[in-house]
Amino acid sequence: MKVLTKNSDYAIRALLALAAKKGSYLSAKSIATEHDIPYQFLRRLLQEMIRHDLIVSKEGAQGGFMMKKDPDAITVTQLIEIFQGKVQVSECMFRKQICGNRARCVLRHEIMRIEQVVQSEFEKVTIGKLLRDLESAGLKP
Amino acid sequence: MKVLTKNSDYAIRALLALAAKKGSYLSAKSIATEHDIPYQFLRRLLQEMIRHDLIVSKEGAQGGFMMKKDPDAITVTQLIEIFQGKVQVSECMFRKQICGNRARCVLRHEIMRIEQVVQSEFEKVTIGKLLRDLESAGLKP
DNA sequence: AAAACTGATACTATATTAGTATCAATTAAA
DNA sequence: TTTAATTGATACTAATATAGTATCAGTTTT
Ligand code: FES
Ligand code: FES
């Protein structure tokens, strides 16, 4: 069971790069080479992040991408939702008979409780936090 | 992002059925029809659970499957590991330069911490617990 | 001997994830 | 003003994981 797919993984790395160079444009190409991310793949991810208002872009030579949203306001949960869909434990785990009785279904409760825990843990991790952690460890993203 | 796939979902349901009829054999066919699980699919899952010593089987007419391991000792984590592989957050999230420095990598730390939380939450949920919860809600699995 | 089962394994189908390619439009700079 | 560097949009392929089906041999009860 994989929690982060390449999508999210790459997206996080790219955002860290952008957050570190806040205020200036970074080209997809430069991010791709520096971070070993497949170029065309990365470009699609960046487009997606524009659509979600996390970053902005400038076309043409010397163009590129720049942070828009506050890095502290971007959580890993959000990125997972964008690139892997909402965290869901199971579509609906038990047979019709039981599922008719959603309110009482204790299994569903258990499952939903875990879902909550997972989400809230990931919500504690923001791009801003990751960046500061990296920096305080003496590493550039 | 799906946490439980059909594999684990079906396996949990089948185990609940077996745990409820502890001590007697249930055929794959009866479990399949009662719980709307594709018959051949279920049989493969049952075989896998035998290999992991969760259940035992008896061949021939009137044969079937029976609980072996204590239901309270079977956690959802175990089932996820069997059917979806070990819970892992990301193969290795950052570029070589940083990954060389595993000990210091704060991102990895964050990620591993969450991995722990997820696992421990799922470990709280056992087949035994689910069964008792179901029963106390007045439902048979 | 027949019927009801499991054991083992091979096969197909569908969905998700990962990665590549192409071309048009835009902008900066030569 | 042409050229090069860049994004926007989209279509395509490949690899892997998930889901489901089929088949046949062996075992046990009736
Ligand atoms: S799983 Fe559908 S209601 Fe319990
Ligand atoms: S991700 Fe590989 S060490 Fe940090």
Side-chain angles (χ1 to χ4, degrees), chain A residues 9-62:
Chain A
D9 177 343
Y10 292 158
I12 292 172
R13 296 196 227 172
L15 281 175
L16 284 171
L18 291 172
K21 295 266 183 200
K22 206 166 147 186
S24 51
Y25 286 98
L26 279 184
S27 73
K29 196 175 168 185
S30 68
I31 299 174
T33 30
E34 267 201 75
H35 296 267
D36 271 316
I37 305 176
Y39 175 61
Q40 298 292 3
F41 200 160
L42 174 62
R43 287 188 51 200
R44 280 201 332 228
L45 301 176
L46 291 166
Q47 293 298 327
E48 193 66 26
M49 291 196 275
I50 288 176
R51 269 172 236 128
H52 284 82
D53 260 333
L54 306 182
I55 60 179
V56 290
S57 67
K58 195 177 101 181
E59 280 181 276
Q62 305 305 310

Side-chain angles (χ1 to χ4, degrees), chain B residues 11-26:
Chain B
I12 292 173
R13 296 197 227 172
L15 282 175
L16 284 172
L18 292 172
K21 295 266 185 200
K22 207 167 150 187
S24 51
Y25 288 98
L26 279 184

